[in-house]
Amino acid sequence: MILFKHSKDLSTHLSAAKNKNYSIGLVPTMGALHKGHLSLISQSKKNTDITVCTIFVNRIQFNNIDDFKKYPSTIENDILLLEESGCDILFIPSEEEVYPDAASKNRHFDLGNLENVLEGKFRPGHFQGVCLVVEKLLNIVHPDVLILGQKDYQQCLIIKKLIDIIDKKIKVVVCPILRETNGLAMSSRNLRLNEEEKKLASQLYKSLIYIRNNLRSKNFLVLKNEAVTKLEQKGFRIDYLELAKSKNLNLVEKYNKADDTVILIAAFLNDVRLIDNILVKDQC
Ligand code: AMP
């Protein structure tokens, strides 16, 4: 694996590869890698000739500075894991490399309602920050394929929209959520949970499953109420638990079999914010 810190060096390397007609896959991450991230790397390797992983904790997308400061960093282990997974290139830019001046942060993307609901509502400015960094990475790497995780469901839709806005021809592949054996969605933030909290955190997934399995026979709002009450009793603070149309995240109050929907949750366990989601489509 080749490690790059400067975008110019990476661009030069990749344009030589492009000239040889090699296809490029991009897996953007914020590090503290786990098997979920590595599943994206292996998906990229199946789809493309050269896999580029990036690690950059994008301060600008954190609406809460404490969350940014506490974001886990395990860079040496990340490098080992990427080497083992057969990743070809790792790009670890500094903040100055990504945002060389104030003007480079001064762009606004018209994301419509998608950035006002769910994560967008509870993390103002978050998706503008995501788009800023992703656009920069796309312009440096020029990938043929972008590999993302369903774990960040809304982010996938936002990035697809960004690709439309900036008019790039990039195939987006969305990989399934990798989970611990108890159902907890793998996440870098899980490193901030102790063993007891990790057990408890699996209740989020269990709530999603419970709602999904009962949507046909019970009203969603009733199910949501039951789940929220139960989770709050266990010590969670819920930001949202919603049913939404999968294609645009318009919220839905009444389940309709004909619509493809997704159930999404965000909740704090102590001071750690966790998100998860489950598609309803295939199950009912
Ligand atoms: P992050 O480092 O959290 O920004 O995540 C980088 C990429 O990995 C994003 O596309 C995430 O959706 C994806 N990802 C994170 N957790 C998982 C998981 N448990 N399973 C699959 N993909 C994941």
Side-chain angles (χ1 to χ4, degrees):
M1 184 172 73
I2 314 176
L3 197 157
F4 289 92
K5 290 189 171 176
H6 300 290
S7 27
K8 265 196 186 142
D9 299 338
L10 176 60
S11 287
T12 310
H13 181 88
L14 290 176
S15 36
K18 284 245 166 200
N19 286 340
K20 291 184 194 153
N21 268 339
Y22 290 145
S23 58
I24 296 168
L26 173 62
V27 181
T29 80
M30 298 203 297
L33 301 183
H34 49 69
K35 286 185 185 145
H37 295 114
L38 301 180
S39 73
L40 271 52
I41 300 287
S42 76
Q43 187 61 44
S44 174
K45 285 175 67 68
K46 278 185 209 147
N47 280 261
T48 59
D49 300 314
I50 297 180
T51 291
V52 180
C53 176
T54 64
I55 295 182
F56 179 65
V57 185
N58 185 34
R59 183 201 298 256
I60 202 170
Q61 76 184 57
F62 285 78
N63 54 312
N64 175 339
I65 193 67
D66 256 8
D67 189 27
F68 170 73
K69 285 187 182 152
K70 288 183 185 161
Y71 200 84
S73 171
T74 57
I75 195 67
E76 280 168 21
N77 193 48
D78 292 351
I79 293 173
L80 285 177
L81 291 175
L82 289 170
E83 290 266 15
E84 277 170 22
S85 70
C87 179
D88 301 293
I89 291 174
L90 171 59
F91 181 46
I92 316 184
S94 64
E95 182 138 351
E96 297 71 44
E97 190 72 28
V98 178
Y99 302 113
D101 48 37
S104 58
K105 294 182 189 170
N106 260 346
R107 174 111 198 256
H108 185 268
F109 300 91
D110 184 6
L111 303 167
N113 192 44
L114 207 46
E115 76 164 328
N116 299 325
V117 292
L118 305 164
E119 286 301 283
K121 179 172 166 191
F122 285 89
R123 302 185 68 188
H126 169 64
F127 287 125
Q128 290 296 327
V130 168
C131 286
L132 268 178
V133 74
V134 171
E135 191 207 16
K136 286 183 195 298
L137 294 175
L138 296 179
N139 284 333
I140 296 167
V141 175
H142 295 291
D144 301 281
V145 185
L146 178 66
I147 301 93
L148 304 171
Q150 187 202 314
K151 164 88 184 342
D152 297 271
Y153 190 89
Q154 192 170 5
Q155 177 170 277
C156 293
L157 295 187
I158 291 272
I159 292 176
K160 284 180 183 170
K161 181 145 195 170
L162 168 72
I163 291 173
D164 275 352
I165 293 172
I166 60 178
D167 202 19
K168 295 244 186 223
K169 279 204 177 57
I170 299 171
K171 180 179 169 196
V172 176
V173 174
V174 177
C175 299
I177 304 174
L178 256 69
R179 300 181 177 281
E180 304 292 348
T181 39
N182 69 7
L184 171 64
M186 290 182 185
S187 164
S188 306
R189 286 189 173 84
N190 294 353
L191 286 174
R192 294 178 51 206
L193 301 174
N194 63 33
E195 287 312 307
E196 202 50 44
E197 289 169 325
K198 277 184 197 158
K199 249 196 230 163
L200 196 53
S202 69
Q203 290 299 324
L204 295 181
Y205 181 58
K206 292 184 178 115
S207 302
L208 295 179
I209 295 276
Y210 171 74
I211 294 176
R212 186 194 68 189
N213 290 348
N214 289 284
L215 263 181
R216 276 185 158 181
S217 53
K218 261 185 173 177
N219 184 287
F220 169 68
L221 293 179
V222 174
L223 291 167
K224 170 179 166 172
N225 238 340
E226 283 177 36
V228 167
T229 307
K230 214 166 163 184
L231 288 168
E232 284 177 347
Q233 279 166 359
K234 290 183 190 287
F236 290 91
R237 188 157 55 81
I238 314 294
D239 268 356
Y240 60 80
L241 170 54
E242 298 290 356
L243 177 66
K245 291 197 180 168
S246 332
K247 63 168 191 268
N248 55 19
L249 290 183
N250 284 346
L251 302 188
V252 172
E253 286 195 350
K254 207 163 170 242
Y255 173 65
N256 176 354
K257 204 166 116 200
D259 289 331
D260 285 344
T261 48
V262 54
I263 312 166
L264 309 102
I265 190 164
F268 282 91
L269 184 52
N270 300 323
D271 66 338
V272 183
R273 190 172 184 278
L274 302 166
I275 59 171
D276 201 351
N277 67 79
I278 191 171
L279 292 166
V280 177
K281 178 174 106 173
D282 300 327
Q283 312 298 329
C284 290

